[in-house]
Amino acid sequence: MVNFFITLTMACDLECRYCYGEVCDCFDDFDDGIVVDYDVPETICYETAALADFVAKDENAVVIFYGGEPLLELEKMKELMDALPAKTFLLHTNGTRLDQVPAEYLKRLHTISISIDGNRELTDYYRGGGVYDLITKNARITREKGFAGEIIARMTVQEETDIYESVMHLFENPDFRFDSVHWQLNALFWRNDYKRRQNGFSDWVGNSYNPGIQKLIDTWVSRMKTAGTVLHMYPFVNIMNSMLRNEKTHLRCGAAWKEYNVQTDGKLSPCPVMSGMSDYYAGDIYSGRPDQLRVIHVSGECLKCDILDICGGRCLYANATMKWGVSGFHEVCKTVRFLVSALKEKKPEIEKLIEEGVVRSEDFSKGIEYNSCEIIP
């Protein structure tokens, strides 16, 4: 089984601070020998039949609609859902147009990941005024239309975020309660932002983020004890599942070994973030086979790490580009080390809860592997 991101469009209807804003600030960022194909079209230019033939070569293929904002190309998404012989369909969206998806197509989706960053104030600060209310309303409409699958809150996290308050809000807020929460640090994507964020990022990690992660883990285990409930925080459940099984891993997101991105030109990159990075292309939909695509693993700094087998390397893009340099790379690694260490301390307690029947080992491994989440924040 291979997970395929299908990038429907590079366009988006929002101008978020950490995406659009940083693109404008770092437009000249690729000055370091990274080869970038700037001719990748904005929307799909290949024939649907070519993608269908490619997907058909994997009888268990998982298709994940992605962008930009994929629902700007809703008609194309519907066309592909009707044509592709995929086992499972997923959707990543900012949620602003989710109410426009017909019920018959919503019901065919396994999982919907909605980009939301916490409460109303924080989400609107990052994403624009009124966005929080719009997407929580559309999430409710999605349920009313009969979608019964998993809805993941997918957060982007940086210095303005209180990770504990934001994550718990998404599980417990009255506007819409998400089934699962995943978060990704806005770090190592650009070079220019490190110059202005270096000290602030480090202080935030030490004084806010890592303590918040510890508080979240404590709450996570406490809920298991008091309610027999495993809150589905993807960074926690996936890593703990590996610890319980004593298993090693490559990149937990699956990039370039179990997960690939089909660009709008039909070429395959390791993930949507690496679209256009031609040195890392893994093949194309015309001549490739899902079981014969180029496999790429992390290298460099990650190979020196003693927790590589449990971390997997965090991010292939960050590993390949080193946008914040070696020192900045290690600043972000401190967050992963803290997360892994804090979870490892809780492993004996969780094993005891499983032994006593309070929670089940399956609670840490439900659903599709990765479910299109990066896992390591």
Side-chain angles (χ1 to χ4, degrees):
M1 180 185 78
V2 181
N3 295 354
F4 292 106
F5 285 98
I6 308 296
T7 296
L8 296 177
T9 179
M10 308 290 281
C12 187
D13 55 346
L14 295 180
E15 296 181 353
C16 303
R17 287 175 181 265
Y18 40 64
C19 186
Y20 177 84
E22 290 184 0
V23 166
C24 293
D25 185 54
C26 302
F27 189 75
D28 61 348
D29 192 47
F30 284 100
D31 57 357
D32 48 9
I34 299 293
V35 178
V36 180
D37 179 4
Y38 289 106
D39 293 326
V40 178
E42 184 171 275
T43 57
I44 289 174
C45 69
Y46 53 77
E47 296 294 326
T48 295
L51 180 61
D53 288 344
F54 174 76
V55 170
K57 295 170 184 174
D58 181 352
E59 62 182 15
N60 294 310
V62 174
V63 163
I64 308 157
F65 295 112
Y66 202 84
E69 172 44 49
L71 294 183
L72 289 170
E73 292 289 322
L74 175 56
E75 292 306 310
K76 175 60 73 172
M77 186 182 92
K78 290 161 57 180
E79 175 189 332
L80 293 178
M81 289 183 75
D82 290 337
L84 299 182
K87 181 178 180 180
T88 310
F89 292 105
L90 291 78
L91 171 66
H92 278 236
T93 176
N94 63 27
T96 60
R97 297 165 183 261
L98 194 54
D99 60 320
Q100 299 175 21
V101 183
E104 62 181 292
Y105 288 93
L106 284 173
K107 292 175 184 178
R108 292 170 61 190
L109 293 168
H110 177 280
T111 298
I112 300 174
S113 294
I114 300 178
S115 297
I116 185 170
D117 300 322
N119 63 20
R120 180 180 291 103
E121 181 181 8
L122 186 65
T123 297
D124 287 0
Y125 170 78
Y126 283 145
R127 296 184 159 268
V131 170
Y132 175 91
D133 287 335
L134 177 60
I135 61 182
T136 52
K137 179 197 74 172
N138 287 346
R140 292 194 299 273
I141 290 173
T142 298
R143 287 294 190 214
E144 291 165 3
K145 285 184 175 181
F147 176 73
E150 183 177 356
I151 299 183
I152 304 173
R154 190 178 186 283
M155 304 168 60
T156 299
V157 171
Q158 60 182 40
E159 288 87 329
E160 291 82 4
T161 304
D162 181 315
I163 189 64
Y164 180 83
E165 296 296 335
S166 297
V167 169
M168 295 309 298
H169 173 83
L170 294 170
F171 277 120
E172 298 176 344
N173 78 88
D175 304 301
F176 184 82
R177 296 187 178 186
F178 288 85
D179 302 306
S180 310
V181 178
H182 175 60
W183 59 93
Q184 188 69 14
L185 287 171
N186 178 31
L188 303 179
F189 288 110
W190 306 99
R191 188 179 313 282
N192 293 352
D193 68 334
Y194 185 53
K195 299 172 185 175
R196 68 172 184 272
R197 294 177 59 196
Q198 181 176 2
N199 294 329
F201 180 83
S202 179
D203 290 345
W204 172 70
V205 166
N207 298 323
S208 177
Y209 180 74
N210 280 351
I213 291 295
Q214 184 65 65
K215 189 176 179 182
L216 271 179
I217 292 174
D218 291 342
T219 299
W220 186 57
V221 175
S222 177
R223 292 290 177 89
M224 294 182 210
K225 293 177 178 178
T226 59
T229 299
V230 178
L231 291 174
H232 209 253
M233 304 181 204
Y234 269 96
F236 296 175
V237 294
N238 191 268
I239 295 172
M240 183 54 67
N241 185 50
S242 291
M243 289 180 175
L244 293 171
R245 297 170 183 269
N246 295 313
E247 66 181 8
K248 298 179 180 180
T249 186
H250 295 303
L251 279 163
R252 288 189 173 273
C253 63
W257 71 285
K258 281 196 173 182
E259 209 160 74
Y260 294 87
N261 172 52
V262 181
Q263 299 181 172
T264 52
D265 58 4
K267 295 175 182 175
L268 295 162
S269 53
C271 69
V273 174
M274 297 182 77
S275 181
M277 293 175 61
S278 55
D279 287 344
Y280 292 87
Y281 284 171
D284 59 62
I285 62 172
Y286 305 103
S287 58
R289 289 186 55 87
D291 60 347
Q292 296 176 357
L293 298 176
R294 179 187 176 195
V295 173
I296 307 170
H297 295 306
V298 294
S299 58
E301 291 298 306
C302 286
L303 298 184
K304 307 172 186 176
C305 183
D306 60 305
I307 63 166
L308 177 59
D309 287 343
I310 194 71
C311 166
R314 184 178 177 271
C315 175
L316 185 61
Y317 171 84
N319 179 269
T321 60
M322 297 295 290
K323 290 295 183 180
W324 285 11
V326 173
S327 61
F329 191 85
H330 285 294
E331 282 295 316
V332 176
C333 285
K334 289 178 183 177
T335 67
V336 182
R337 286 186 172 279
F338 185 90
L339 171 64
V340 170
S341 176
L343 287 172
K344 190 175 292 185
E345 287 186 5
K346 296 294 185 180
K347 181 185 173 186
E349 287 183 67
I350 292 173
E351 287 176 323
K352 184 177 181 182
L353 292 172
I354 293 172
E355 183 180 338
E356 294 172 348
V358 178
V359 295
R360 303 171 304 156
S361 59
E362 303 89 81
D363 293 332
F364 301 88
S365 59
K366 71 173 186 177
I368 298 174
E369 190 174 15
Y370 311 117
N371 213 7
S372 74
C373 294
E374 294 90 340
I375 305 303
I376 300 292

